[in-house]
Amino acid sequence: MDCKSCSNNKVIGLISGNGTGKTSLAECFLYNSGTIDRLGSIETKNTISDYTSLEIKRGFSINSSILSYKWKDFNINLIDCPGYMDFIGQTQAAIKVIDSALLVVDAKSGVQAPTELVIELLDKNPRPAFFILNKLDLENIDYFKVINDIKNEYNLNLVPITAPVDSGENFSGIIDILQNQAYHYKDKNPSGTKTSINENIKDKIENYHNELIESIIVETDDELLNKYLNGEKISNDVINNVFKQAVVKGKVIPVFAVSATKNIGIDILMDYINYLLPSALDIQPIKARDLKEDKEVEIKPSPDGPPLAYVFKTMADPYIGKLSIFRIFSGTFKVNNSYYISSSQKTYKFTNLFKLQGKNQIEIDEASCGDIVAVSKIMDILNDDTISTQEQPLKIPPTEYFTPTHPKAVTPKSKGDEEKISSSISKIIQEDPTIRQELNLEVHQNIIWGMGELHLSIIKEKLKEKFDVDSEFVTPDVAYKETIRKDAKAEYKYKKQSGGRGQYGHVFLEIKPLESGGGFEFKDSIFGGAIPKGYIPGVEKGVREALQKGVIAGYPVVDVSVNLYDGSYHTVDSSEMAFKIAASMAFKKGMQEASPVILEPIMEFEIIVPEKYMGDIIGDINSKRGKIISMTPIENKKQLIKAFVPQSETFNYSTDLTSLTQGKGRFTQKFSHYEELPPNLAQKVAEERNKQKE
Ligand SMILES: Nc1nc2c(ncn2[C@@H]2O[C@H](COP(=O)(O)OP(=O)(O)OP(=O)(O)O)[C@@H](O)[C@H]2O)c(=O)[nH]1
Ligand SMILES: [Mg+2]
């Protein structure tokens, strides 16, 4: 096969925090390259990338979009990711399949928490990157100071390749520091015109140029460095080569000055994307597991190599149904060939292949390394699946997504829609691995877990828009329980004689508390046939029924032992039912006497925050009746705090943590154990619950 096309493919992610200008920048890429003939904007609600009705309504990205453009000799495949932290799962999925990253930063506000998280993710999955300082048309931006601040804060080797000419309102051009060339821009034209560098900044730019060359040269071998230090002239070719290597290895991170809304500096950025970022055939071999040979292998990207692709996104298209979107790392995929899917371990014939451009799908016959394509209607393909062939079945390790931490109980507005809601949520989950749904049998609620308030409000809107179900998202109920604190004895005689056959059951119960987690224990110590054997199961059933609703607030009773030690019966009137009723009543009576208490679930939290927020976090945990278990310093001046927190205080913790740490904290939680609810709260809970029952 002619591999020219794939040697010119690049896969690039636009990733960073919300509102920094990624979608606006993507629009400029498409416009400048002639892919579209009108430059859309967020404000006019007509960008190619933010095309869904929810994105248009909200004015920001909610889904990652697949875009592509051709610029000079290269095909660039772009993934424009949403920046809000609530949608971080999509950035995690994108990082898995991109060869390089464009981190767009709002030059006015600097690096904010979501971008910081993206920097952390890239640190764990290194990719060559560019920093794009956007919005240079805003007032009072000191470009080089912003770069230095980021450099120092995150210990990144940032090197400015372009610099702005003028600032704020007057921002009208950039200088290419590497080439010593200025460009002027007018009327959002696709490209700038060359101009001379203003005399008054020539020296300054000369300095930056020298600094840039130096920072490139130090990344190479000592021989070249010595030559440079001895004043020898180093050819441009050598410098360019060293520069490319340093960028590809992530040793230097070029920085560019742009304004996406004014389309300034972006054509030059596009040139540098072509020139410096790796192509799909330049990347490191892909590590995968050969499922036939049962061993790890490395697949070098080649159009003639074994087919290998990774599904990083699933989408339900209203017209063509389910679309599984994958990035091809190796081999050539052709329509009507069959491919092996790692999760189902079966092969499927691909009867179609599509290239994507925002909402549009273009049918194609084949695709190869560095292409991002979709196949439709194969239900068994899931997110994070590896696609390969029966001859060499492969599996790439799945993406590790953050665990959703924000729960809500979902109920339909109209009765009878329960089934529809949970099946619709299951479909939404297929597209978004950072959502979890759980039918909680203890509180009888359908609980949906997402990444935060925004995430859940979008899911609610999706339920309405896509599936036509109106729903309510409310704070989940706490799975309280009840138990007893001391021993008690109780007797109950159930006797009814109203003509015909009567009812008679009579029991003596001894009730004792069990250790926490002890559950329920039933003992029968009837001696001498006071109650015939045949009625004993009725007694146990009665007690079990009473356990379902405790005497304080009707919560399930746990950790009790019940001993049936005496009773009496009537030869005609006794029945299993009569003993069941007697036992149930006796238990309730006994429980009243046994110091009943309410228990509350306690969660174990693991919270990671920058050190400086420790005081606030501990104060907040204390105010939530929590207990700190441990605090451990970890990398990047952060602390890992473990704590027990009562579940009733946890439902909004993701929002609380975000506001306490300006979005720089993260946490996970799991159920730990039950503890007694303090009496004043127990009273409140009981009052609330009893009110509900009325
Ligand atoms: N002044 C100015 N505003 C800009 C520039 N680029 C983008 N904006 C505005 O910033 C806002 C956010 O832009 P987007 O392109 O949606 O940013 P994004 O990074 O895609 O945001 P998310 O999708 O939420 O991650 C919009 O109102 C844009 O018009 C710029 O260069 N200058
Ligand atoms: Mg966007």
Coordinates of all heavy atoms in Angstrom, one line a residue, residues 23 50 61 80, ligand 2:
T23 N -12.1 24.9 21.5 CA -13.1 24.8 20.4 C -12.9 25.9 19.4 O -13.0 25.7 18.1 CB -14.5 24.7 21.0 OG1 -14.5 23.5 21.8 CG2 -15.6 24.5 19.9
D50 N -18.6 22.0 18.6 CA -19.7 22.0 19.6 C -21.1 22.0 18.9 O -21.8 23.0 18.8 CB -19.6 23.2 20.5 CG -18.5 23.1 21.5 OD1 -17.8 22.1 21.6 OD2 -18.3 24.1 22.3
S61 N -18.1 22.8 25.5 CA -18.0 21.4 25.0 C -18.5 20.5 26.1 O -18.1 20.6 27.3 CB -16.6 21.0 24.6 OG -16.2 22.0 23.6
D80 N -11.1 17.4 20.0 CA -11.3 18.6 20.8 C -12.1 18.1 22.1 O -13.2 17.7 22.0 CB -12.2 19.6 20.0 CG -12.6 20.8 20.9 OD1 -11.9 21.0 21.9 OD2 -13.6 21.4 20.6
Ligands
MG2 MG -14.7 23.3 23.8

